[in-house]
Each structure stands twice: as C-alpha cells, then as structure tokens.
Amino acid sequence: MNPADNHMTQADGESTGAGPRADAPQSHDTAPGPAADSARRRWWTLLAVSAAQLLVVLDGTIVNIALPSAQSALGMSDASRQWAVTAYALAFGGLLLIGGRVSGALGHRRTFLIGLTGFAAASALGGAAVSPEMLFGARALQGAFAALLAPAGLSLLTITFTGPGERGRAFGVFAAVGAAGSAVGLVAGGLLTEYAGWRWCLYVNVPVALLAVLGATFVPRDRPVRGEGRLDVAGALLSATGFAAIVYAFNEAQPLGWGSAKVLALLAGGVLLLAAFAAVEARAPRPLLPMRVLVRRARAGAFASITLLFVAMFGFYLFMSYYTQTALGYSPVEAGLTLIINAGAALVGATLVAGRLHGRVAPAALIVPGLLAAAAGMFLLTRLTSQSTDVFALYLVPALILTGLGLGCVLPPTASLATAGVAPHDVGAAAAAYNASQQLGAALGTALLNTVAASAAASYAASTAGAATTAASVHGYTTALTVAFVILLAAAGISGVLLRASRP
C-alpha cells in the first residue's frame, strides 16, 4: 500500500481524523490579501470546471435532436447516421482511463486547457462538416478531448476544495450542471435546429469552451506527478478496446437485438478484454487504473450507485422524449422544455439539499433517499396508459420533480466519494473511473431499456388484436420504466450495504 493512501478523508468512511489534511489548501473566504485572492481563484476553478462539465454532458444529447437535419444536409444513410452519436460515445468512453493518466502526468490544469481547446476546435470542425465522414471524425475528436477534459476537471475540484463546507457547495454546483446538462442539451438542440440550423448545435460549444479557457487562466497551477514512468501501453490498449467494444455492443443492440451474433460477440469480447485489463493492472508497476482505487468499500458504493442511476435515468430521458412527442403530440422544442422541470429539480437537489448537507450527514443519508426518490418518480410513470387524462399535472410534473431531486441528491456525494482520500498520483485515475461508470451506465441504459420497450410494444400489439400503435408504444414505455424502477430499488439496496459504514 502506498503511504499516501493512508490520508483517507472522513467522506470515505475509513479515517478517524477530524479535519482536512495538514498539507491541504485551507478555505479563507473572508481573509484579506493573498488568502482572499486564493479563495477567489478556487471559485474561478469551479466556474471553469462547471462550464467544461456542461460541454461534455451537453454533447451527449444535443446532437440527437439535430441528427435528422444533419442527415438530410450531408446525405447520410440510415445505417450510418448513428455514428454521429456513437463516434463520440466510443472515443469518450474508450479513452477516459488514458485521459486520467495523462492528466496526472501533464498536470490537471494543463490537461484541462488542452482538452478545452481541442474540444472547441473539434466542435468547429464538426459544424463546418461537408460530408458524413468529416462529421463522424469531428465527433470522435470531441470524444477524445472530452476524455481529457472530464477527469482533469473533476481532479481540479478534488485538489482545490478540501474543507467540508466549501467542498459540499462546489460538488453540488458541479453535479447540478451535470444533472441539468442532458435536459438542457435536448432543449438547446431543438431551439438551435429549428431557428439557427443544425450546425449551431456544434458551433455553440466554441464560445462556451473559450469562456471556460478564460476562467481556467485563474485556476491555480498544480504540479504534474513525477516519476510515473512510461505509459502502461498494454493496459491502455486493453481498456480502450474493451470499453469501446461494450459501448458499441450496447448501441448495436438497439437495431439488431440482444440475441444478435454481432452483439453477443462484441459483449463477450469486451468482457474478456476488460478481464485481461484487470489482470494486467494487478501486476503492472505503474498501472493505468490502480486496483487500490476500486477496493475501498465506500468508493465501490459510489461507483455502483452512479452506474445504476445512469442506467435508469438515460432510459427515462429517452422515453420522456418519445412519449411527449408521439403520445402527447408535443413538438421537439416543447418536449425539451418539459424536461426543464427535471433539470430545475436536479439543481435544487444538488445545491440546496446535497450541497448544504455535504459533510454534515453520512453519504448514505443522501444517496439512498435520492435513489428512492428517483424510483418513486419512475413508479409513477408506470401507471400511465394511452387513455390517461390530465397527464401533465398528475404524472409528468411529479415524476420529473422526483427524478430530478433524486439525481441531484446522488451526484454530489458520489462524485466526492469517488475521489475522496485518493493519493495525489491516483486522483486522475479515480476521476476517470467515475466518469467511465457514468458512460457505461448511460450506454447500457439507453440500449437495454429501448430494447425492452420495443419488445414489450411488439408483444402487446401481437396479443391485442386491433391495438392502436400509441397504446402499444405506451405499454412498451411503461414496461421499460418498470425495469428502471427495479434497477433503482436495487441500487438503493446495494448502496445502503456498501455505504453503511461511511461517516460525514
């Protein structure tokens, strides 16, 4: 065990210390002179990292709304259009662990600036695309730079905010931006596509990234981790190909079905590659993902919670978009605006609940109730039928509020637990693993729940002679949301077990 691993924080549930480490920067928000300047720089760090987090999450959904227009403009085939979304997901998910290692080796601030600049350039390239191949390549580049940006940003927050009070506020704001980003992406995608053109769904990243770069100039410099040796090439290749194979399998499961030979081969290959990665990392002198990052009980609970939450929530966003447009007749913009309720509730949960209670209550006291609140929202929607009346007030609004509050309460403590007490040279790896958990959950949730919905709708239509298409679709949605409800209940149970020993 590395001696640095002994500096565990209370959030990780394995320390008896009463306060932050002696070598950690302290909060002096009201102190004059250099101390006050240091405090201002810390909050500039939060603003820059939150803007970057918005970019990373936004681009997971904003292009979905613009895809039909982009397909028509660039002449994409139906078979190839998915690569506008898949290229980003594969590059982002497959390179996250490498991005975490690079962040430690180059310094988190420097990596953060490289990621922002590259992401802006790739976005401009995608907006100017004149062919499908150019757009797909730009999206892959966006994903690659996002894989640098995400772990570097979370690492900067971890090393900058150490006091329980300011750490809670910082992670609350960071998580709120992440929670709201997907819904904002749907709204922004609809508005930009309808009133400015699909290319602006990519161009809009450029000014946001440049503003984040400006804010990052105020971020205190950090020292790169020295003596890391050469890159763990075997681990890098195994992790990238294994993760990419699994994410691609999840994406292919939607059109081909889970029983497809291609999907099964990709899943089996991905699992084998990741098993080989774990074996290599256990023996490597300088591993890409040190196994000690994963074996802490509280950290494992954080990873499990966020993965299962994203499985359920990304299916939820998908079905809310489908249901409001196909069953209720909303326009894409109206459907996106409906999800603003969820984003607002997530902001409240992350800042006013989790942000204020961080450090005062055990992480489980936020994570488990948050998962149960999200489950309650899912359960409410399973009661929908094609003949349901007053849907907006009786079902949608309460469900959107409950799921948003749950998401907001879970994200800050899990992000904090994922990196709490990690040795300085492992912070980038822990941050990358946390982001990888989110990506894996999002990819699995979208594919798994969409497949469940499609199968249930087909079975309903076949067994109910003369059933309307809308009735079959709604049955499919409620069946999939029932699965999401069960997943969230299981997540609450698992988290309760793994986090029961963790303390404020």
Side-chain angles (χ1 to χ4, degrees):
M1 173 91 50
N2 192 304
D5 279 354
N6 292 329
H7 296 290
M8 299 300 296
T9 67
Q10 290 174 318
D12 209 23
E14 300 182 28
S15 170
T16 58
R21 298 189 310 269
D23 61 339
Q26 303 297 306
S27 173
H28 300 287
D29 290 2
T30 59
D37 181 65
S38 175
R40 284 193 295 271
R41 284 178 174 270
R42 285 200 297 276
W43 294 109
W44 271 109
T45 301
L46 175 60
L47 290 173
V49 170
S50 296
Q53 175 73 352
L54 178 63
L55 286 175
V56 170
V57 177
L58 197 72
D59 263 62
T61 56
I62 192 171
V63 172
N64 291 6
I65 300 295
L67 193 52
S69 299
Q71 180 181 0
S72 176
L74 299 180
M76 296 181 210
S77 67
D78 288 345
S80 67
R81 66 185 175 187
Q82 65 162 324
W83 283 102
V85 176
T86 305
Y88 179 82
L90 289 180
F92 186 21
L95 297 176
L96 266 169
L97 293 180
I98 299 173
R101 172 63 185 274
V102 170
S103 182
L106 294 182
H108 303 307
R109 179 179 181 271
R110 181 182 298 173
T111 305
F112 185 73
L113 288 169
I114 292 172
L116 277 174
T117 306
F119 196 92
S123 299
L125 181 65
V130 295
S131 68
E133 293 75 19
M134 186 174 174
L135 177 61
F136 301 156
R139 290 287 286 163
L141 279 175
Q142 279 185 306
F145 283 109
L148 290 176
L149 196 54
L154 185 53
S155 299
L156 283 174
L157 280 192
T158 300
I159 64 176
T160 300
F161 295 93
T162 56
E166 66 174 14
R167 185 179 176 89
R169 292 194 297 273
F171 275 91
V173 172
F174 173 78
V177 171
S182 296
V184 171
L186 293 171
V187 176
L191 291 172
L192 289 171
T193 301
E194 187 167 339
Y195 298 110
W198 69 268
R199 295 181 185 276
W200 279 97
C201 291
L202 292 160
Y203 285 144
V204 72
N205 293 328
V206 178
V208 177
L210 293 179
L211 286 173
V213 168
L214 179 63
T217 59
F218 295 96
V219 174
R221 296 180 181 273
D222 63 301
R223 295 181 180 179
V225 177
R226 301 300 181 187
E228 282 291 282
R230 303 175 69 179
L231 178 67
D232 176 15
V233 177
L237 290 174
L238 288 169
S239 69
T241 54
F243 198 96
I246 289 179
V247 172
Y248 187 42
F250 292 162
N251 278 276
E252 288 295 286
Q254 296 182 57
L256 301 180
W258 289 100
S260 162
K262 180 180 181 181
V263 171
L264 293 175
L266 283 168
L267 284 174
V271 170
L272 288 174
L273 287 167
L274 291 181
F277 167 71
V280 167
E281 296 305 277
R283 295 171 175 80
R286 298 289 181 182
L288 197 65
L289 178 61
M291 292 296 104
R292 59 182 173 270
V293 169
L294 303 178
V295 296
R296 299 290 182 184
R297 183 171 180 158
R299 196 171 299 123
F303 288 149
S305 301
I306 202 64
T307 301
L308 294 174
L309 177 66
F310 269 58
V311 169
M313 286 303 299
F314 268 73
F316 167 80
Y317 288 134
L318 180 70
F319 298 130
M320 283 300 91
S321 178
Y322 285 166
Y323 177 77
T324 51
Q325 292 182 68
T326 59
L328 302 183
Y330 289 8
S331 70
V333 174
E334 290 172 333
L337 289 172
T338 301
L339 287 172
I340 287 294
I341 299 171
N342 178 265
L347 287 170
V348 171
T351 56
L352 299 183
V353 181
R356 291 188 175 183
L357 292 179
H358 183 86
R360 300 181 184 180
V361 300
L366 288 170
I367 294 172
V368 175
L371 291 168
L372 292 176
M378 294 289 181
F379 179 76
L380 191 61
L381 291 175
T382 64
R383 306 295 93 193
L384 282 173
T385 67
S386 58
Q387 286 83 36
S388 297
T389 58
D390 203 10
V391 169
F392 187 79
L394 292 180
Y395 294 97
L396 292 190
V397 171
L400 289 166
I401 290 173
L402 285 168
T403 52
L405 285 173
L407 186 64
C409 287
V410 172
L411 281 173
T414 53
S416 181
L417 276 176
T419 53
V422 178
H425 54 274
D426 288 339
V427 169
Y434 180 75
N435 280 281
S437 298
Q438 293 178 328
Q439 286 298 303
L440 190 63
L444 175 58
T446 302
L448 171 65
L449 297 180
N450 194 44
T451 303
V452 169
S455 300
S459 298
Y460 182 85
S463 62
T464 308
T469 302
T470 300
S473 297
V474 171
H475 176 76
Y477 302 155
T478 56
T479 302
L481 289 170
T482 301
V483 174
F485 165 70
V486 173
I487 289 171
L488 288 170
L489 288 183
I494 293 169
S495 302
V497 171
L498 292 177
L499 299 174
R500 68 174 182 265
S502 60
R503 298 187 296 275

